């Protein structure tokens, strides 16, 4: 009941993000039910039915990823002073986050079921003159256990993933050579050692965010935390260097492996079971290659974002470039991985569009729905991560404004960060998409 009250009384922006999660869950649930309908209507084509069900794994992963990103930014499950006194400790807040995610995804699954039953004609008769009855098995009864199992996939996976990501941490990294005590929910928080409110503590990254980006004069104005019982914070103490993401070698290796697999698939035979969307040329190898390529881009995203921040600060940088580059380096892990996923989705979509030019069959409605779901969830996850990053550096922004930094400078720094990422990652994504589609376009 508490989770329902928190869901009902949230801010409109938070409610909108939850509705987006419900919409993504509805689309994914509808795709799963369509795969079930195809299996019921074509009992002799068991291989094609299994492939259609496996094709739904990508929308499921995108939906779960988006649901976890929304759960991370939900203020209702954020640790605050006094909650532990009423029995809402880190573990209970984790449960609330999982329940809120399950509620949103279950709502979407119910909408998918109602729409699926409406298209089958089980509610008000066959719509669209019965055009959808063929692939929905409208003339056969719908098995209740299989239907409920498929509809429960997204809520169960999303809530479980959210609970794993937001679980309380046992220990924290060190800051300035001294350990920082953990307050609870997923990272740094309330403890006997006060930490600034703009830390990345909730998800376990850095502890002194609000002072790293602020100029030297602003460090004294921000609220500081003693790092030990007898060692108050000194604003002139050297802060630890920003960690460099280490996923670039692994990402490059997976990219090379994925492109090699796709090249091998392009040289092989065109025989094989057809997949949704008209893919017939070595489908298993193609899917394996694209999966490796997407995983490589996702792993390399934080390192590429960190590299963009270093590029902004190179060759006699101005104050604007220093600020923009420092923020990019600080947020490399937070926004880099969703950015890599967006690049992977864009690369796969571009390669798929190249494959369907010419005499190849067009993309069907269900494949189009799956592509829209994956692309929409990837973009929404990136925007959610950007909102999370903005909230995390709120104290830094306030400190800069207090010492006289114009708001236009902060907006220009944000535009410079976005422009740098687009300028660096767009050609890279296009090149990978061309290389991925080249062996298959004949």
């Amino acid at each position: 009941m508490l989770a329902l009250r928190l869901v009902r009384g949230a801010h409109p922006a938070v409610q909108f993000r939850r509705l987006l999660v419900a919409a993504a869950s509805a689309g994914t649930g509808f795709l799963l039910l369509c795969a079930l309908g195809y299996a019921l209507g074509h009992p002799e084509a068991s291989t094609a039915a299994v492939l259609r069900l496996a094709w739904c794994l990508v929308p499921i992963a995108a939906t779960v990823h988006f649901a976890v990103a929304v759960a991370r930014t939900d203020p209702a499950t954020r640790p605050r002073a006094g909650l532990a006194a009423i029995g809402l400790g880190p573990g209970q807040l984790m449960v609330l986050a999982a329940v809120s995610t399950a509620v949103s995804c279950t709502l979407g699954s119910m909408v998918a079921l109602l729409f699926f039953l409406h298209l089958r004609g089980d509610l008000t008769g066959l719509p669209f003159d019965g055009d959808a009855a063929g692939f929905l098995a409208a003339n056969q009864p719908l098995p209740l256990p299989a239907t409920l199992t498929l509809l429960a996939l997204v809520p169960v996976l999303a809530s479980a993933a959210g609970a794993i990501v937001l679980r309380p941490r046992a220990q924290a990294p060190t800051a300035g050579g001294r350990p920082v005590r953990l307050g609870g929910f997923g990272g740094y928080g309330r403890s006997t050692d006060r930490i600034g409110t703009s830390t990345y503590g909730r998800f376990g990254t850095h502890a002194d965010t609000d002072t790293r980006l602020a100029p030297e004069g602003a460090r004294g104005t921000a609220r500081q935390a003693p790092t030990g019982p007898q060692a108050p914070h000194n604003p002139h103490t050297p802060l630890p260097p920003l960690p460099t993401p280490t996923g670039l070698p692994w990402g490059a290796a997976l990219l090379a492996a994925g492109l090699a697999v796709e090249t091998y698939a392009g040289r092989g035979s065109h025989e094989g079971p057809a997949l949704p969307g008209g893919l017939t040329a070595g489908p298993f190898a193609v899917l394996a290659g694209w999966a490796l390529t997407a995983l490589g881009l996702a792993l390399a995203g934080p390192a590429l974002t960190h590299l963009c921040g270093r590029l902004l600060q190179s060759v006699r940088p101005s104050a604007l470039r220093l600020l923009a580059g420092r923020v990019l380096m600080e947020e490399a892990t937070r926004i880099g991985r969703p950015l890599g996923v967006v690049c992977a989705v864009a690369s796969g979509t571009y390669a798929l569009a190249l494959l369907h030019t010419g005499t190849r069959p067009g993309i069907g409605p269900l494949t189009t729905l799956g592509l829209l779901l994956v692309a929409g969830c990837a973009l929404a996850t990136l925007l959610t991560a950007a909102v999370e990053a903005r909230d995390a550096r709120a104290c830094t922004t306030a400190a800069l404004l207090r010492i006289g930094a114009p708001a236009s400078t902060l907006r220009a720094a944000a535009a410079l960060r976005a422009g740098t990422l687009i300028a660096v990652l767009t050609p890279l994504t296009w090149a990978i998409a061309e290389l991925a589609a080249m062996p298959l376009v004949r």
Side-chain angles (χ1 to χ4, degrees):
M1 293 300 297
L2 178 59
L4 294 178
R5 288 178 178 271
L6 292 175
V7 169
R8 186 183 61 183
H11 191 271
V14 179
Q15 297 285 29
F16 179 70
R17 291 197 291 266
R18 290 171 178 165
L19 286 178
L20 289 181
V21 172
S25 177
T28 306
F30 181 74
L31 289 177
L32 289 169
L33 292 178
C34 288
L36 175 62
Y38 181 85
L40 292 176
H42 304 79
E44 74 285 351
S46 59
T47 302
V50 171
L51 287 175
R52 285 176 178 267
L53 187 61
W55 192 254
C56 298
L57 291 178
V58 179
I60 290 175
T63 303
V64 171
H65 188 214
F66 177 45
V68 171
V70 171
R72 286 164 59 103
T73 58
D74 194 343
T77 57
R78 191 169 298 168
R80 292 182 295 273
L83 290 182
I86 60 174
L88 292 179
Q92 288 76 16
L93 290 177
M94 178 195 68
V95 173
L96 284 178
V99 172
S100 300
T101 303
V103 168
S104 300
C105 294
T106 303
L107 176 62
S109 296
M110 293 301 102
V111 172
L113 178 60
L114 290 177
F115 187 66
F116 181 76
L117 294 177
H118 174 66
L119 290 181
R120 278 172 50 93
D122 295 337
L123 299 179
T124 58
L126 283 174
F128 307 114
D129 298 329
D131 293 338
F135 65 93
L136 297 182
N139 57 346
Q140 297 187 17
L142 199 63
L144 183 60
T147 303
L148 294 181
T149 300
L150 291 178
L151 290 178
L153 278 178
V154 174
V156 170
L157 291 177
S159 58
I164 291 174
V165 171
L166 301 178
R167 69 189 186 279
R169 309 298 187 193
Q171 57 185 354
T174 58
R178 294 176 295 273
V180 178
R181 292 189 60 182
L182 251 179
F185 192 55
Y188 315 121
R190 290 278 303 184
S191 67
T192 55
D193 299 333
R194 287 293 303 272
I195 300 176
T197 57
S198 72
T199 62
Y200 294 172
R202 192 176 174 221
F203 308 110
T205 47
H206 305 301
D208 289 325
T209 305
D210 53 336
T211 57
R212 268 201 279 258
L213 298 177
E216 185 71 26
R219 293 181 183 174
T221 61
R223 183 184 299 176
Q224 298 297 328
T227 55
Q230 298 179 355
H233 177 74
N234 182 6
H236 301 288
T237 301
L239 294 171
L242 295 177
T244 302
T246 58
L248 187 58
W250 287 104
L254 288 176
L255 275 173
L259 294 176
V261 169
E262 293 177 23
T263 303
Y264 177 79
R267 293 178 179 177
S269 173
H270 289 267
E271 298 179 357
L275 292 176
L279 285 178
T280 56
F284 295 108
V286 169
L287 287 180
W290 282 358
L292 289 175
T293 302
L295 184 59
L297 281 173
L299 287 178
L304 293 174
T305 305
H306 193 273
L307 178 61
C308 290
R310 286 191 175 275
L311 290 177
L312 276 176
Q313 300 178 81
S314 61
V315 191
R316 302 182 62 181
S318 61
L320 180 63
R321 289 169 53 195
L322 279 174
L323 179 62
R326 191 70 173 178
V327 169
L328 273 184
M329 293 173 62
E330 188 74 26
E331 303 293 344
T333 302
R334 189 186 301 271
I335 68 173
R337 189 152 294 128
L339 190 60
V341 172
V342 169
C343 293
V345 172
S347 173
T349 304
Y350 181 79
L352 189 62
L354 289 181
L355 287 177
H356 286 280
T357 57
T359 60
R360 289 179 180 263
I363 299 177
L366 295 181
T367 304
T368 303
L369 175 61
L371 290 176
L372 291 178
L373 272 174
V374 173
C377 288
L379 288 175
T381 303
L382 178 60
L383 294 177
T384 304
V387 171
E388 180 187 356
R390 182 198 62 188
D391 295 340
R393 60 174 183 272
C395 284
T396 300
T397 303
L400 291 174
L401 292 175
R402 282 197 302 268
I403 64 175
S408 59
T409 301
L410 301 180
R411 290 193 295 267
L416 183 59
R417 294 195 300 270
T420 303
L421 291 174
I422 292 174
V424 172
L425 296 180
T426 299
L428 177 63
T429 304
W430 173 80
I432 293 174
E434 286 283 351
L435 292 174
M438 188 181 300
L440 304 177
V441 177
R442 295 184 178 180

